[in-house]
Amino acid sequence: MQVKARIHQPTTAAILRLARVLRRGGLVAVPSETVYGLAADALNSAACRRIFAAKGRPSTDPLIVHVATLRAASEVAEWNEAAQALARAFWPGPLTLVLPKKAVVPDVVTAGLDSVAVRQPNHAVFRALLRATGRPLAAPSANPFGYISPTTAEHVRESLGERIAHILDGGPCRVGVESTIVDLRNPARPRVLRPGWITAEQVASVLGCRVAGRGRRPAAGKRSGRARATADQAVAQVAPGMLTRHYSPRIPLTLVKRITSRDDRPGVARLFYQKPRTGPAVESKPAAPVAWLSETGDPAEAARHLFSRLRALDRSGATSILAESAPDTAEGRVLNDRLRRAAAR
Ligand code: TXA
Ligand code: MG
């Protein structure tokens, strides 16, 4: 592989240099608390088009605009009271708000929609870069379209290293799954478009009204393709990027409720939710690679590890992955959302 991307340590000099790259219309992969993003000046359409080219992303899938301050958010979006309340409660943090867009935002960023997604990230390095650049930065996750999201600088280099020149290293991502996206175009009827670490319940308790979720999905395998397609179509009209199939390893992934001892088969890598206490997976030499999301069953640890474990098993030489669902709690459902999409073919 012809890697040209350079990983920059986050020194003041590097941040100033990369801010210049961005101001001139270049691309920089940046750390955030959720996943790494691939950033460009959000007000420069040519620069934003380069993001779509580097990722192989369809132009119908809009980008999130990252801002340093609430004031900067209100310069790209028609701000409302609900946005103000949620930003006060959760920004900087893993929450993205969809609001009517202002005219300064180029169509390429919003895929022609009249709304824009905005977020103030909670990562010191990303925030320093935003301040140094002095522009809002459009950034999708820094993975090739449809592949597993990156949570380290090395992940970005592995899969986009031939297509971009600069990666800013901010260490492993603290949250590990993408931000919660809330549609606030109509503040009286907020709706979660993508589940994330901030739950619909938390959003509802700040807004003091009901928040439509994505609906509870039956366990893996039980949902008919047709029911899934209909539910996803409804969301696709407002969130074109929420595809059923996403975060996908190259090798097939099957999601099951529980992995059992009979699942120890050659070629089948196993991804447990929690490290097994006993049994062949940990006691004797298993037939294929084995990994777990958490040592102790802690959902935050599981989220932090989700994408790196999937990447490791995808490159392990196994021919398929058998993954175990997380418990059906508010946090577990976020992980299961990603695992279900990774399993979709
Ligand atoms: O945590 C995150 O959100 C990360 C970090 C880098 O901030 N970003 C991220 O971006 O996950 P991306 O592009 O992988 O996912 C953003 C999704 C799009 O696929 C789309 O569904 C939705 O945000 N989106 C963006 N603009 C929208 C809009 N105007 N209306 C509805 N959905 C929108
Ligand atoms: Mg993404």
Side-chain angles (χ1 to χ4, degrees), residues 181-183 188-194 200-201 203-204 209-215:
I181 303 181
V182 177
D183 179 7
R189 295 177 139 258
R191 172 169 185 192
V192 172
L193 301 178
R194 177 173 70 186
E201 291 72 24
V203 171
C209 68
R210 231 190 116 256
V211 175
R214 305 223 42 219

Side-chain angles (χ1 to χ4, degrees), residues 21-79:
V21 168
L22 288 163
R23 291 172 69 94
R24 288 198 202 114
L27 300 184
V28 177
V30 297
S32 90
E33 77 276 36
T34 57
V35 300
Y36 274 69
L38 181 59
D41 177 351
L43 306 182
N44 177 337
S45 358
C48 292
R49 272 196 292 275
R50 286 186 195 109
I51 293 179
F52 288 86
K55 277 183 61 98
R57 181 180 176 110
S59 61
T60 49
D61 191 355
L63 307 176
I64 295 175
V65 175
H66 298 77
V67 292
T69 61
L70 267 64
R71 193 197 174 115
S74 68
E75 284 164 10
V76 294
E78 293 292 345
W79 206 239

Side-chain angles (χ1 to χ4, degrees), residues 209-287:
C209 68
R210 231 190 116 256
V211 175
R214 305 223 42 219
R216 268 190 64 164
R217 296 173 170 219
K222 285 204 198 125
R223 200 163 199 246
S224 81
R226 198 142 147 223
R228 192 172 62 196
T230 313
D232 280 356
Q233 248 165 32
V235 170
Q237 286 162 5
V238 273
M242 291 306 297
L243 303 175
T244 302
R245 173 157 197 254
H246 203 1
Y247 316 107
S248 311
R250 288 183 198 92
I251 58 177
L253 180 145
T254 306
L255 183 61
V256 292
K257 203 158 167 61
R258 284 288 154 264
I259 294 176
T260 71
S261 53
R262 277 169 309 175
D263 295 317
D264 187 10
R265 294 191 299 270
V268 183
R270 284 169 296 160
L271 180 58
F272 290 88
Y273 174 69
Q274 181 175 350
K275 180 179 180 182
R277 279 199 211 107
T278 54
V282 283
E283 283 161 7
S284 57
K285 200 170 171 350

Side-chain angles (χ1 to χ4, degrees), residues 93-223:
L95 178 71
T96 296
L97 305 176
V98 172
L99 292 160
K101 90 174 188 79
K102 287 202 169 157
V104 286
V105 183
D107 279 344
V108 56
V109 170
T110 61
L113 298 176
D114 51 15
S115 61
V116 64
V118 278
R119 169 165 113 83
Q120 184 187 38
N122 187 8
H123 191 295
V125 173
F126 194 178
R127 298 183 74 194
L129 183 68
L130 278 162
R131 283 193 301 270
T133 311
R135 307 267 168 86
L137 295 176
S141 49
N143 49 309
F145 180 69
Y147 192 60
I148 305 162
S149 298
T151 52
T152 66
E154 197 47 56
H155 289 164
V156 180
R157 179 152 67 182
E158 266 164 32
S159 47
L160 286 182
E162 294 167 88
R163 301 187 182 186
I164 62 174
H166 303 288
I167 302 169
L168 182 54
D169 193 348
C173 300
R174 280 195 312 278
V175 175
V177 291
E178 300 82 354
S179 62
T180 306
I181 303 181
V182 177
D183 179 7
L184 279 185
R185 289 171 309 156
N186 176 353
R189 295 177 139 258
R191 172 169 185 192
V192 172
L193 301 178
R194 177 173 70 186
W197 217 240
I198 292 172
T199 63
E201 291 72 24
Q202 285 176 285
V203 171
S205 83
V206 170
L207 296 181
C209 68
R210 231 190 116 256
V211 175
R214 305 223 42 219
R216 268 190 64 164
R217 296 173 170 219
K222 285 204 198 125
R223 200 163 199 246

